[in-house]
Amino acid sequence: MKKSELKYLIKEALEVPAMEMKEPYNEIGDIILVMKPMKNMGMDDMIRKSSIYDTINMNEIAGAYMGNNMSGAEKAAREGMKAYEAQKTALKKEMEEYRAAKEAIAEKKAKAKELIMKLK
């Protein structure tokens, strides 16, 4: 291809009118996203309406439902909240056990020091 032909093709491509901007066709409609529960988040915060054109962070989503399936989304949000609360309760229990074990070790250490002092 000659240089003049390439210039002509580029010029012709640049002169083509741009496609007019219009709202994209969305046959799916709105979707309901169920977010993963986080600190200070309620049921209403977990359920979010969105469209396929919105930016979605996959790491924050527990589920996605069609726009007319609000009951399914609410059920998933309730289950997510229950699991989150159970996880929080288990963590609190583990922390209490850790603190109790730490105190027991400190008491045993103090008793051992006393015994060593008596033996000297």
Side-chain angles (χ1 to χ4, degrees), residues 32-39 41-50 54-65 73 76-77 80-81 84:
I32 301 171
L33 299 177
V34 178
M35 310 308 285
K36 291 180 181 175
M38 290 189 250
K39 187 176 182 178
M41 190 179 245
M43 283 277 293
D44 295 335
D45 300 326
M46 289 179 64
I47 298 172
R48 187 179 301 163
K49 286 198 175 204
S50 184
D54 293 339
T55 302
I56 299 170
N57 185 350
M58 297 298 290
N59 296 327
E60 296 177 355
I61 296 174
Y65 296 86
M81 285 299 286
Y84 180 71

Side-chain angles (χ1 to χ4, degrees), residues 39-99:
K39 187 176 182 178
N40 300 328
M41 190 179 245
M43 283 277 293
D44 295 335
D45 300 326
M46 289 179 64
I47 298 172
R48 187 179 301 163
K49 286 198 175 204
S50 184
S51 76
I52 59 172
Y53 300 108
D54 293 339
T55 302
I56 299 170
N57 185 350
M58 297 298 290
N59 296 327
E60 296 177 355
I61 296 174
Y65 296 86
M66 294 299 291
N68 58 357
N69 192 4
M70 184 61 94
S71 62
E74 289 172 347
K75 182 179 177 183
R78 274 193 304 276
E79 290 173 359
M81 285 299 286
K82 283 181 186 177
Y84 180 71
E85 292 299 323
Q87 192 177 30
K88 264 181 32 178
T89 304
L91 181 61
K92 284 181 183 178
K93 183 180 174 185
E94 291 291 326
M95 288 303 295
E96 288 172 7
E97 290 175 4
Y98 171 76
R99 288 183 187 112

Side-chain angles (χ1 to χ4, degrees), residues 2-43:
K2 293 181 181 179
K3 193 174 184 180
S4 61
E5 290 175 353
L6 184 60
K7 284 182 180 180
Y8 174 76
L9 288 174
I10 292 172
K11 183 179 178 185
E12 189 176 280
L14 292 174
E15 289 176 356
V16 174
M19 189 173 165
E20 60 182 82
M21 297 298 289
K22 62 179 182 176
E23 188 69 27
Y25 180 70
N26 184 357
E27 188 174 307
I28 295 173
D30 286 341
I31 55 175
I32 301 171
L33 299 177
V34 178
M35 310 308 285
K36 291 180 181 175
M38 290 189 250
K39 187 176 182 178
N40 300 328
M41 190 179 245
M43 283 277 293

Side-chain angles (χ1 to χ4, degrees), residues 101-115:
K102 191 175 177 181
E103 288 176 12
I105 290 170
E107 288 173 9
K108 288 180 182 179
K109 186 177 179 182
K111 284 183 183 178
K113 281 185 178 181
E114 283 179 30
L115 291 173

